[in-house]
Amino acid sequence: MKYYNLKDREEKIDFRTATIKGQGKNKGLFFPESIPPFKEDFIQNLNQYSDEEIAYQCMKDFIGNEIPSEILRKIVSETISFDIPLKKINDDISVLELFHGPTLAFKDIGAGFMSRCLSYFLENQQKKVTVLVATSGDTGGAVAHGFYDLPGIDVVILYPKNRVSPVQEKQLTALGKNIYALEVNGSFDDCQNLVKQAFSNEEINNQLFLTSANSINIARWLPQQIYYLLALKQWQQTENKAPVICVPSGNFGNICAGVLAHIRGLPTEHFIAACNANDVIPTYLETQDFNPKKAVATLSNAMDVGDPSNFVRILELFNNEFNPLKHKISGYSIDDSKTIQTISEVYKKEHYILEPHSAVAFSALEQYLKENPGKKGFILGTAHPVKFPEAVENAINTKIEIPLSLDTLMKKEKKTVEINPDFEELKRFLLDKN
Ligand SMILES: *Cc1c(COP(=O)(O)O)cnc(C)c1O
Protein backbone atom coordinates (compact mmCIF):
# COMPACT_ATOMS: atom_id res chain seq x y z
CA MET A 1 0.00 0.00 0.00
CA LYS A 2 1.21 3.49 -0.85
CA TYR A 3 0.22 6.65 0.99
CA TYR A 4 -0.05 10.08 -0.57
CA ASN A 5 0.31 13.49 1.01
CA LEU A 6 -3.03 15.32 1.13
CA LYS A 7 -1.19 18.62 0.55
CA ASP A 8 1.01 17.40 -2.28
CA ARG A 9 -0.44 14.38 -4.07
CA GLU A 10 2.80 13.76 -5.94
CA GLU A 11 4.50 12.74 -2.70
CA LYS A 12 3.81 9.01 -2.34
CA ILE A 13 5.53 6.79 0.17
CA ASP A 14 5.21 3.34 1.73
CA PHE A 15 3.91 2.42 5.19
CA ARG A 16 7.37 2.24 6.71
CA THR A 17 8.39 5.72 5.58
CA ALA A 18 5.04 7.21 6.58
CA THR A 19 5.41 5.69 10.05
CA ILE A 20 8.91 7.06 10.50
CA LYS A 21 8.26 10.49 8.98
CA GLY A 22 4.84 11.11 10.51
CA GLN A 23 3.89 13.91 8.15
CA GLY A 24 4.72 14.93 4.61
CA LYS A 25 5.79 18.12 2.85
CA ASN A 26 4.02 21.32 3.94
CA LYS A 27 2.93 19.44 7.07
CA GLY A 28 0.52 17.38 4.93
CA LEU A 29 -1.17 14.27 6.32
CA PHE A 30 -0.72 10.92 4.59
CA PHE A 31 -3.71 9.01 3.26
CA PRO A 32 -3.97 5.47 1.79
CA GLU A 33 -4.01 5.31 -1.99
CA SER A 34 -6.92 2.89 -1.97
CA ILE A 35 -9.51 1.85 0.62
CA PRO A 36 -9.51 -1.96 0.92
CA PRO A 37 -13.08 -3.24 1.43
CA PHE A 38 -13.86 -5.88 4.07
CA LYS A 39 -15.07 -9.22 2.73
CA GLU A 40 -18.82 -9.40 3.25
CA ASP A 41 -18.61 -12.83 4.77
CA PHE A 42 -16.08 -11.57 7.32
CA ILE A 43 -18.16 -8.56 8.39
CA GLN A 44 -21.39 -10.58 8.65
CA ASN A 45 -19.78 -13.25 10.82
CA LEU A 46 -17.46 -11.35 13.14
CA ASN A 47 -18.46 -13.57 16.06
CA GLN A 48 -16.77 -16.52 14.37
CA TYR A 49 -13.37 -14.84 14.48
CA SER A 50 -11.08 -14.28 17.45
CA ASP A 51 -10.31 -10.66 18.37
CA GLU A 52 -6.71 -11.17 17.23
CA GLU A 53 -7.83 -12.45 13.84
CA ILE A 54 -10.22 -9.51 13.43
CA ALA A 55 -7.41 -7.08 14.26
CA TYR A 56 -5.07 -8.79 11.82
CA GLN A 57 -7.66 -8.82 9.01
CA CYS A 58 -8.36 -5.16 9.69
CA MET A 59 -4.72 -4.07 9.34
CA LYS A 60 -3.01 -6.41 6.88
CA ASP A 61 -3.94 -4.65 3.62
CA PHE A 62 -2.52 -1.36 4.89
CA ILE A 63 0.89 -2.86 5.59
CA GLY A 64 1.24 -5.38 2.77
CA ASN A 65 4.55 -7.21 2.96
CA GLU A 66 6.39 -4.42 4.78
CA ILE A 67 6.00 -6.36 8.03
CA PRO A 68 6.00 -10.18 7.80
CA SER A 69 2.56 -11.57 8.63
CA GLU A 70 3.66 -13.50 11.73
CA ILE A 71 5.20 -10.33 13.17
CA LEU A 72 2.14 -8.25 12.29
CA ARG A 73 -0.04 -10.84 14.03
CA LYS A 74 2.13 -10.53 17.12
CA ILE A 75 2.00 -6.71 16.98
CA VAL A 76 -1.81 -6.54 16.70
CA SER A 77 -2.41 -9.10 19.40
CA GLU A 78 -0.09 -7.28 21.82
CA THR A 79 -1.81 -4.01 20.89
CA ILE A 80 -5.21 -5.30 22.03
CA SER A 81 -4.04 -7.48 24.90
CA PHE A 82 -6.60 -6.07 27.36
CA ASP A 83 -10.40 -6.05 27.68
CA ILE A 84 -12.40 -3.84 25.33
CA PRO A 85 -15.94 -4.53 26.59
CA LEU A 86 -19.16 -3.05 25.24
CA LYS A 87 -21.37 -2.41 28.29
CA LYS A 88 -24.99 -1.33 28.46
CA ILE A 89 -25.60 1.93 30.37
CA ASN A 90 -29.35 1.98 29.73
CA ASP A 91 -31.75 0.46 27.16
CA ASP A 92 -30.61 2.68 24.33
CA ILE A 93 -27.03 3.65 25.14
CA SER A 94 -23.99 1.41 25.62
CA VAL A 95 -20.34 2.31 26.14
CA LEU A 96 -17.29 0.78 24.50
CA GLU A 97 -14.75 0.90 27.32
CA LEU A 98 -11.42 1.65 25.68
CA PHE A 99 -9.64 2.47 28.92
CA HIS A 100 -8.42 -0.87 30.27
CA GLY A 101 -5.02 -0.58 28.63
CA PRO A 102 -1.68 0.17 30.34
CA THR A 103 -2.30 3.93 30.76
CA LEU A 104 -6.11 3.75 31.04
CA ALA A 105 -6.65 5.74 27.82
CA PHE A 106 -7.91 4.78 24.37
CA LYS A 107 -4.67 6.21 23.00
CA ASP A 108 -2.93 3.07 24.27
CA ILE A 109 -4.21 1.27 21.18
CA GLY A 110 -2.89 3.69 18.57
CA ALA A 111 0.33 4.38 20.48
CA GLY A 112 0.88 0.68 21.21
CA PHE A 113 0.58 -0.28 17.56
CA MET A 114 2.72 2.60 16.36
CA SER A 115 5.54 2.06 18.84
CA ARG A 116 5.76 -1.63 17.92
CA CYS A 117 5.84 -0.88 14.19
CA LEU A 118 8.44 1.83 14.68
CA SER A 119 10.70 -0.36 16.75
CA TYR A 120 10.40 -3.14 14.14
CA PHE A 121 11.36 -0.72 11.36
CA LEU A 122 14.25 0.78 13.33
CA GLU A 123 15.66 -2.49 14.65
CA ASN A 124 18.82 -2.41 12.62
CA GLN A 125 19.32 1.33 12.74
CA GLN A 126 22.82 2.25 13.94
CA LYS A 127 21.86 5.67 15.25
CA LYS A 128 19.77 6.09 18.36
CA VAL A 129 16.29 7.44 17.65
CA THR A 130 14.67 10.17 19.75
CA VAL A 131 10.90 10.30 19.84
CA LEU A 132 9.89 13.87 20.72
CA VAL A 133 6.33 14.58 21.76
CA ALA A 134 4.27 17.34 23.39
CA THR A 135 1.28 16.29 25.46
CA SER A 136 -1.72 17.85 27.17
CA GLY A 137 -2.07 14.68 29.23
CA ASP A 138 -3.02 11.35 27.69
CA THR A 139 -0.81 11.15 24.61
CA GLY A 140 2.41 11.35 26.60
CA GLY A 141 1.56 8.47 28.92
CA ALA A 142 0.45 6.18 26.11
CA VAL A 143 3.54 6.96 24.04
CA ALA A 144 5.89 6.61 27.03
CA HIS A 145 4.43 3.24 27.88
CA GLY A 146 4.56 2.09 24.25
CA PHE A 147 8.30 2.82 23.94
CA TYR A 148 9.38 2.04 27.51
CA ASP A 149 12.65 0.13 27.71
CA LEU A 150 12.92 -0.42 23.93
CA PRO A 151 16.56 -0.59 22.82
CA GLY A 152 17.87 2.22 20.61
CA ILE A 153 14.95 4.55 21.33
CA ASP A 154 14.74 7.53 23.69
CA VAL A 155 11.48 9.32 24.36
CA VAL A 156 11.36 13.00 25.36
CA ILE A 157 7.97 14.25 26.52
CA LEU A 158 7.11 17.91 27.07
CA TYR A 159 4.14 18.65 29.29
CA PRO A 160 2.73 21.85 30.81
CA LYS A 161 3.60 22.15 34.51
CA ASN A 162 0.60 21.88 36.86
CA ARG A 163 -1.82 21.30 34.00
CA VAL A 164 -2.05 17.51 33.91
CA SER A 165 -3.85 15.37 36.49
CA PRO A 166 -1.85 13.51 39.19
CA VAL A 167 -2.31 10.10 37.54
CA GLN A 168 -1.34 11.49 34.15
CA GLU A 169 1.75 13.13 35.64
CA LYS A 170 2.97 9.90 37.27
CA GLN A 171 2.45 8.05 33.98
CA LEU A 172 4.78 10.54 32.28
CA THR A 173 7.39 11.05 34.93
CA ALA A 174 7.83 7.88 36.96
CA LEU A 175 8.94 5.38 34.33
CA GLY A 176 12.55 6.46 34.02
CA LYS A 177 15.04 4.49 31.88
CA ASN A 178 14.70 5.74 28.29
CA ILE A 179 11.72 8.02 29.05
CA TYR A 180 12.59 11.67 29.79
CA ALA A 181 9.91 14.07 31.04
CA LEU A 182 10.34 17.80 30.61
CA GLU A 183 8.10 19.91 32.79
CA VAL A 184 7.53 23.17 30.91
CA ASN A 185 6.67 26.40 32.73
CA GLY A 186 3.94 27.23 30.25
CA SER A 187 0.92 25.93 28.37
CA PHE A 188 0.37 22.98 26.04
CA ASP A 189 0.69 25.36 23.09
CA ASP A 190 4.15 26.37 24.38
CA CYS A 191 5.14 22.70 24.51
CA GLN A 192 3.91 22.12 21.00
CA ASN A 193 5.76 25.17 19.69
CA LEU A 194 9.03 23.99 21.25
CA VAL A 195 8.61 20.59 19.60
CA LYS A 196 7.89 22.17 16.22
CA GLN A 197 11.01 24.33 16.51
CA ALA A 198 13.11 21.28 17.33
CA PHE A 199 11.88 19.45 14.23
CA SER A 200 12.94 22.32 12.02
CA ASN A 201 16.29 23.04 13.73
CA GLU A 202 19.30 22.06 11.66
CA GLU A 203 21.79 21.61 14.49
CA ILE A 204 19.51 19.23 16.36
CA ASN A 205 18.63 17.25 13.25
CA ASN A 206 22.30 16.88 12.35
CA GLN A 207 23.07 15.30 15.68
CA LEU A 208 19.89 13.41 16.52
CA PHE A 209 17.54 11.20 14.56
CA LEU A 210 14.25 12.81 15.64
CA THR A 211 10.84 11.32 15.05
CA SER A 212 7.40 12.28 16.31
CA ALA A 213 4.61 10.19 17.80
CA ASN A 214 1.70 12.52 17.39
CA SER A 215 -1.80 11.53 16.46
CA ILE A 216 -1.59 12.32 12.76
CA ASN A 217 0.85 9.45 12.18
CA ILE A 218 -0.92 6.79 10.07
CA ALA A 219 0.42 4.07 12.36
CA ARG A 220 -1.56 5.66 15.19
CA TRP A 221 -4.62 6.49 13.10
CA LEU A 222 -5.29 3.23 11.22
CA PRO A 223 -5.27 0.70 14.13
CA GLN A 224 -8.10 2.66 15.76
CA GLN A 225 -10.41 0.93 13.28
CA ILE A 226 -9.86 -2.34 15.11
CA TYR A 227 -12.04 -1.56 18.10
CA TYR A 228 -14.97 -0.48 15.94
CA LEU A 229 -14.97 -4.04 14.61
CA LEU A 230 -14.62 -5.49 18.11
CA ALA A 231 -17.56 -3.31 19.21
CA LEU A 232 -19.72 -4.55 16.36
CA LYS A 233 -18.88 -8.15 17.15
CA GLN A 234 -20.33 -7.58 20.63
CA TRP A 235 -23.21 -5.39 19.42
CA GLN A 236 -24.47 -8.08 17.04
CA GLN A 237 -24.93 -10.51 19.92
CA THR A 238 -27.97 -8.63 21.20
CA GLU A 239 -29.01 -6.12 18.52
CA ASN A 240 -30.14 -6.61 14.96
CA LYS A 241 -30.02 -3.00 13.72
CA ALA A 242 -26.79 -1.14 13.04
CA PRO A 243 -25.65 1.20 15.84
CA VAL A 244 -25.40 4.97 16.05
CA ILE A 245 -21.78 5.55 17.12
CA CYS A 246 -20.91 8.62 19.15
CA VAL A 247 -17.25 9.65 19.48
CA PRO A 248 -15.91 12.31 21.86
CA SER A 249 -13.75 14.27 19.44
CA GLY A 250 -10.80 16.66 19.56
CA ASN A 251 -8.36 16.13 16.74
CA PHE A 252 -10.87 13.82 15.00
CA GLY A 253 -8.50 10.88 14.49
CA ASN A 254 -10.70 8.49 16.43
CA ILE A 255 -13.98 9.19 14.61
CA CYS A 256 -12.12 9.32 11.30
CA ALA A 257 -10.93 5.74 11.86
CA GLY A 258 -14.54 4.69 12.52
CA VAL A 259 -15.73 6.33 9.32
CA LEU A 260 -12.92 4.60 7.42
CA ALA A 261 -14.06 1.22 8.81
CA HIS A 262 -17.62 2.09 7.79
CA ILE A 263 -16.58 2.95 4.23
CA ARG A 264 -14.78 -0.41 4.08
CA GLY A 265 -18.09 -2.11 4.86
CA LEU A 266 -18.71 -1.98 8.62
CA PRO A 267 -22.47 -1.52 9.10
CA THR A 268 -23.30 1.64 11.06
CA GLU A 269 -26.49 3.69 11.29
CA HIS A 270 -24.87 7.08 11.88
CA PHE A 271 -21.87 8.82 13.44
CA ILE A 272 -21.94 11.62 15.97
CA ALA A 273 -19.00 13.93 16.56
CA ALA A 274 -19.39 14.99 20.19
CA CYS A 275 -17.40 18.13 20.99
CA ASN A 276 -17.06 20.37 24.02
CA ALA A 277 -17.20 24.18 23.67
CA ASN A 278 -14.60 23.86 20.90
CA ASP A 279 -17.26 23.54 18.23
CA VAL A 280 -15.50 24.13 14.89
CA ILE A 281 -16.81 20.90 13.33
CA PRO A 282 -20.39 21.02 14.66
CA THR A 283 -20.52 24.56 13.24
CA TYR A 284 -19.09 23.37 9.93
CA LEU A 285 -21.73 20.63 9.71
CA GLU A 286 -24.44 23.27 10.21
CA THR A 287 -23.10 25.99 7.95
CA GLN A 288 -20.44 24.42 5.68
CA ASP A 289 -18.04 27.12 6.93
CA PHE A 290 -14.78 25.77 8.36
CA ASN A 291 -13.38 28.38 10.73
CA PRO A 292 -10.51 27.20 12.93
CA LYS A 293 -10.34 29.05 16.25
CA LYS A 294 -8.03 29.29 19.22
CA ALA A 295 -8.94 26.48 21.62
CA VAL A 296 -10.73 27.34 24.85
CA ALA A 297 -10.05 25.38 28.05
CA THR A 298 -12.77 22.95 29.22
CA LEU A 299 -13.17 20.04 31.64
CA SER A 300 -12.72 17.57 28.76
CA ASN A 301 -9.26 18.97 28.05
CA ALA A 302 -8.06 16.28 25.64
CA MET A 303 -10.67 17.66 23.23
CA ASP A 304 -9.62 21.31 23.52
CA VAL A 305 -8.65 21.59 19.89
CA GLY A 306 -9.49 24.61 17.75
CA ASP A 307 -8.20 23.34 14.42
CA PRO A 308 -8.75 19.57 14.23
CA SER A 309 -6.00 18.14 12.06
CA ASN A 310 -7.69 14.90 11.01
CA PHE A 311 -10.72 16.61 9.54
CA VAL A 312 -9.02 16.78 6.12
CA ARG A 313 -8.95 12.98 6.17
CA ILE A 314 -12.69 12.83 6.80
CA LEU A 315 -13.27 15.20 3.88
CA GLU A 316 -11.10 12.96 1.70
CA LEU A 317 -13.10 9.88 2.74
CA PHE A 318 -16.20 11.63 1.38
CA ASN A 319 -14.41 12.88 -1.76
CA ASN A 320 -14.73 16.40 -0.38
CA GLU A 321 -18.50 16.33 -0.91
CA PHE A 322 -20.47 18.07 1.80
CA ASN A 323 -23.90 16.42 1.44
CA PRO A 324 -22.88 12.76 1.87
CA LEU A 325 -20.71 13.83 4.81
CA LYS A 326 -23.52 15.73 6.51
CA HIS A 327 -25.82 12.77 5.88
CA LYS A 328 -23.50 10.40 7.77
CA ILE A 329 -22.10 12.57 10.59
CA SER A 330 -23.89 14.93 12.98
CA GLY A 331 -22.10 17.29 15.33
CA TYR A 332 -23.01 18.39 18.85
CA SER A 333 -21.31 20.84 21.17
CA ILE A 334 -21.76 20.21 24.90
CA ASP A 335 -20.62 22.82 27.45
CA ASP A 336 -19.02 22.19 30.85
CA SER A 337 -22.16 22.66 32.91
CA LYS A 338 -24.05 20.11 30.78
CA THR A 339 -21.03 17.78 31.10
CA ILE A 340 -21.13 17.94 34.91
CA GLN A 341 -24.91 17.54 34.92
CA THR A 342 -24.59 14.44 32.71
CA ILE A 343 -21.95 12.81 34.95
CA SER A 344 -24.16 13.44 37.96
CA GLU A 345 -27.42 12.20 36.37
CA VAL A 346 -25.96 9.07 34.84
CA TYR A 347 -24.38 8.19 38.17
CA LYS A 348 -27.67 8.66 40.01
CA LYS A 349 -29.86 6.87 37.48
CA GLU A 350 -27.61 4.15 36.11
CA HIS A 351 -24.80 3.88 38.70
CA TYR A 352 -22.28 4.32 35.93
CA ILE A 353 -19.36 6.72 36.37
CA LEU A 354 -18.58 8.77 33.26
CA GLU A 355 -15.53 11.01 33.01
CA PRO A 356 -15.82 14.40 31.22
CA HIS A 357 -14.99 13.21 27.66
CA SER A 358 -17.37 10.26 27.76
CA ALA A 359 -20.00 12.49 29.38
CA VAL A 360 -19.83 14.86 26.40
CA ALA A 361 -20.47 11.85 24.17
CA PHE A 362 -23.30 10.51 26.34
CA SER A 363 -25.09 13.85 26.31
CA ALA A 364 -24.71 14.22 22.52
CA LEU A 365 -26.00 10.70 21.85
CA GLU A 366 -28.91 11.19 24.23
CA GLN A 367 -29.92 14.34 22.32
CA TYR A 368 -29.62 12.62 18.95
CA LEU A 369 -31.71 9.63 20.07
CA LYS A 370 -34.38 12.00 21.38
CA GLU A 371 -34.52 13.68 17.99
CA ASN A 372 -34.45 10.31 16.17
CA PRO A 373 -36.63 7.89 18.13
CA GLY A 374 -36.34 4.14 17.68
CA LYS A 375 -32.56 4.09 17.26
CA LYS A 376 -29.86 2.80 19.61
CA GLY A 377 -26.16 3.27 19.84
CA PHE A 378 -22.96 3.39 21.83
CA ILE A 379 -20.40 5.94 22.93
CA LEU A 380 -16.65 5.46 22.97
CA GLY A 381 -15.35 5.62 26.55
CA THR A 382 -11.94 7.17 25.91
CA ALA A 383 -10.47 7.46 29.42
CA HIS A 384 -10.83 6.00 32.90
CA PRO A 385 -12.59 8.35 35.39
CA VAL A 386 -9.57 8.16 37.69
CA LYS A 387 -7.58 10.23 35.19
CA PHE A 388 -9.97 13.16 35.73
CA PRO A 389 -10.78 12.81 39.44
CA GLU A 390 -11.53 16.45 40.26
CA ALA A 391 -14.38 16.93 37.78
CA VAL A 392 -15.82 13.48 38.42
CA GLU A 393 -15.71 13.70 42.23
CA ASN A 394 -17.33 17.14 42.15
CA ALA A 395 -20.14 15.84 39.97
CA ILE A 396 -20.94 12.66 41.90
CA ASN A 397 -19.99 13.82 45.40
CA THR A 398 -18.10 10.62 46.02
CA LYS A 399 -14.45 9.75 46.09
CA ILE A 400 -13.36 7.50 43.24
CA GLU A 401 -11.08 4.65 44.03
CA ILE A 402 -7.68 4.39 42.41
CA PRO A 403 -7.54 0.96 40.77
CA LEU A 404 -5.00 -1.47 42.20
CA SER A 405 -3.07 -1.48 38.95
CA LEU A 406 -2.15 2.19 39.61
CA ASP A 407 -1.08 1.71 43.21
CA THR A 408 2.54 0.91 42.47
CA LEU A 409 2.77 3.70 39.92
CA MET A 410 1.36 6.32 42.29
CA LYS A 411 3.98 5.39 44.89
CA LYS A 412 6.86 5.85 42.46
CA GLU A 413 8.94 8.96 42.45
CA LYS A 414 8.39 11.70 39.90
CA LYS A 415 11.50 12.52 37.87
CA THR A 416 11.49 15.56 35.62
CA VAL A 417 13.66 18.32 34.27
CA GLU A 418 12.01 21.71 34.50
CA ILE A 419 12.46 24.08 31.57
CA ASN A 420 11.08 27.46 30.51
CA PRO A 421 9.26 27.81 27.22
CA ASP A 422 12.54 28.83 25.66
CA PHE A 423 13.85 26.88 22.70
CA GLU A 424 17.49 27.23 23.78
CA GLU A 425 16.71 25.28 26.96
CA LEU A 426 15.12 22.42 25.03
CA LYS A 427 17.98 22.40 22.55
CA ARG A 428 20.60 22.20 25.30
CA PHE A 429 18.74 19.32 26.92
CA LEU A 430 18.44 17.35 23.68
CA LEU A 431 22.06 17.81 22.67
CA ASP A 432 23.41 17.05 26.17
CA LYS A 433 21.24 13.95 26.53
CA ASN A 434 22.82 12.51 23.42
C1 LIG B 1 -7.30 12.30 22.70
C2 LIG B 1 -8.60 12.15 23.42
C3 LIG B 1 -9.84 12.39 22.78
C4 LIG B 1 -9.94 12.95 21.38
O1 LIG B 1 -9.59 12.03 20.38
P1 LIG B 1 -9.32 12.55 18.90
O2 LIG B 1 -8.90 11.34 18.14
O3 LIG B 1 -8.24 13.58 19.01
O4 LIG B 1 -10.60 13.13 18.39
C5 LIG B 1 -11.00 12.14 23.49
N1 LIG B 1 -10.96 11.71 24.78
C6 LIG B 1 -9.80 11.48 25.42
C7 LIG B 1 -9.84 11.03 26.84
C8 LIG B 1 -8.58 11.68 24.76
O5 LIG B 1 -7.42 11.46 25.42
Side-chain angles (χ1 to χ4, degrees):
M1 176 75 79
K2 285 271 191 287
Y3 296 83
Y4 60 90
N5 177 346
L6 285 171
K7 284 213 176 129
D8 178 354
R9 283 160 200 258
E10 297 298 302
E11 186 185 6
K12 281 190 191 166
I13 57 176
D14 57 16
F15 178 76
R16 177 184 190 275
T17 318
T19 300
I20 295 171
K21 280 180 77 161
Q23 52 185 313
K25 284 180 210 150
N26 304 321
K27 303 201 180 110
L29 271 62
F30 289 113
F31 194 86
E33 205 174 31
S34 64
I35 308 286
F38 293 124
K39 293 211 175 69
E40 211 174 302
D41 183 56
F42 167 67
I43 269 309
Q44 300 292 335
N45 298 293
L46 287 171
N47 63 345
Q48 293 176 19
Y49 295 84
S50 68
D51 290 356
E52 288 73 23
E53 184 63 26
I54 289 173
Y56 174 73
Q57 292 296 329
C58 177
M59 295 310 294
K60 70 177 175 37
D61 292 337
F62 290 102
I63 287 115
N65 56 12
E66 293 181 58
I67 299 178
S69 63
E70 68 280 8
I71 294 180
L72 183 60
R73 279 183 189 276
K74 184 162 177 278
I75 290 177
V76 292
S77 61
E78 286 173 6
T79 301
I80 55 159
S81 65
F82 45 83
D83 281 348
I84 305 183
L86 183 68
K87 291 186 181 165
K88 255 188 170 341
I89 298 182
N90 62 31
D91 282 346
D92 298 332
I93 301 183
S94 301
V95 54
L96 184 69
E97 292 187 346
L98 293 167
F99 48 75
H100 299 291
T103 74
L104 310 181
F106 88 101
K107 291 186 172 77
D108 280 324
I109 294 152
F113 183 81
M114 181 194 159
S115 56
R116 290 181 173 92
C117 290
L118 203 55
S119 71
Y120 171 76
F121 289 138
L122 298 174
E123 222 163 37
N124 298 316
Q125 196 81 36
Q126 296 303 320
K127 215 164 156 184
K128 184 183 252 177
V129 177
T130 301
V131 177
L132 184 64
V133 67
T135 186
S136 60
D138 276 357
T139 297
V143 168
H145 191 276
F147 287 101
Y148 179 59
D149 213 11
L150 290 180
I153 298 179
D154 277 349
V155 178
V156 178
I157 300 167
L158 282 74
Y159 75 97
K161 185 179 163 80
N162 294 332
R163 299 201 199 181
V164 301
S165 76
V167 171
Q168 286 176 324
E169 183 166 52
K170 279 287 161 75
Q171 288 175 335
L172 299 172
T173 59
L175 285 173
K177 287 201 176 168
N178 61 330
I179 311 293
Y180 300 87
L182 297 185
E183 199 173 355
V184 178
N185 283 310
S187 66
F188 170 62
D189 284 332
D190 292 325
C191 298
Q192 204 153 25
N193 281 332
L194 290 173
V195 166
K196 281 186 187 154
Q197 285 182 68
F199 276 105
S200 56
N201 182 273
E202 207 173 324
E203 194 181 343
I204 292 179
N205 284 281
N206 283 340
Q207 295 196 40
L208 298 176
F209 182 2
L210 275 193
T211 184
S212 90
N214 66 21
S215 65
I216 58 177
N217 194 302
I218 53 158
R220 264 189 72 179
W221 172 47
L222 295 171
Q224 299 179 110
Q225 295 174 89
I226 295 170
Y227 46 72
Y228 288 90
L229 296 174
L230 301 181
L232 214 76
K233 174 179 168 182
Q234 299 174 69
W235 180 261
Q236 286 169 341
Q237 284 168 9
T238 56
E239 304 290 338
N240 43 30
K241 282 198 239 158
V244 177
I245 302 177
C246 181
V247 188
S249 295
N251 242 330
F252 278 69
N254 198 4
I255 193 170
C256 184
V259 173
L260 172 61
H262 165 71
I263 288 177
R264 297 175 71 195
L266 185 80
T268 61
E269 167 65 28
H270 197 65
F271 280 95
I272 295 171
C275 297
N276 55 30
N278 295 285
D279 61 353
V280 173
I281 302 299
T283 305
Y284 168 80
L285 290 167
E286 281 296 309
T287 63
Q288 215 175 332
D289 286 327
F290 185 77
N291 285 320
K293 292 187 232 172
K294 206 169 147 55
V296 297
T298 74
L299 291 173
S300 44
N301 59 16
M303 311 199 299
D304 294 347
V305 179
D307 186 3
S309 43
N310 274 289
F311 198 62
V312 289
R313 284 186 173 136
I314 297 188
L315 292 176
E316 189 74 4
L317 284 168
F318 287 96
N319 299 313
N320 291 290
E321 288 173 35
F322 182 70
N323 286 331
L325 166 60
K326 188 179 158 72
H327 188 71
K328 194 67 201 175
I329 307 178
S330 302
Y332 288 85
S333 163
I334 308 294
D335 66 20
D336 275 354
S337 71
K338 184 75 190 168
T339 305
I340 291 286
Q341 189 194 332
T342 304
I343 297 175
S344 158
E345 281 177 8
V346 171
Y347 180 66
K348 275 196 207 116
K349 265 200 227 151
E350 322 290 353
H351 308 290
Y352 188 88
I353 302 178
L354 293 165
E355 52 73 44
H357 306 76
S358 324
V360 166
F362 187 95
S363 177
L365 182 54
E366 200 173 37
Q367 276 186 44
Y368 177 84
L369 295 180
K370 210 178 266 173
E371 292 155 15
N372 297 272
K375 298 184 179 179
K376 292 183 181 189
F378 62 84
I379 62 170
L380 268 51
T382 46
H384 194 291
V386 79
K387 298 192 88 171
F388 302 94
E390 228 173 285
V392 175
E393 286 173 356
N394 282 339
I396 67 174
N397 257 320
T398 306
K399 230 168 157 57
I400 44 176
E401 306 242 333
I402 294 201
L404 278 177
S405 63
L406 283 184
D407 230 31
T408 335
L409 178 74
M410 295 311 282
K411 286 186 186 127
K412 279 194 183 164
E413 197 191 333
K414 156 182 164 184
K415 274 176 256 140
T416 64
V417 173
E418 211 172 308
I419 66 168
N420 291 308
D422 169 0
F423 179 62
E424 289 307 314
E425 292 191 27
L426 173 62
K427 186 167 151 188
R428 205 174 319 129
F429 176 83
L430 288 172
L431 297 177
D432 289 353
K433 170 188 81 65
N434 223 39

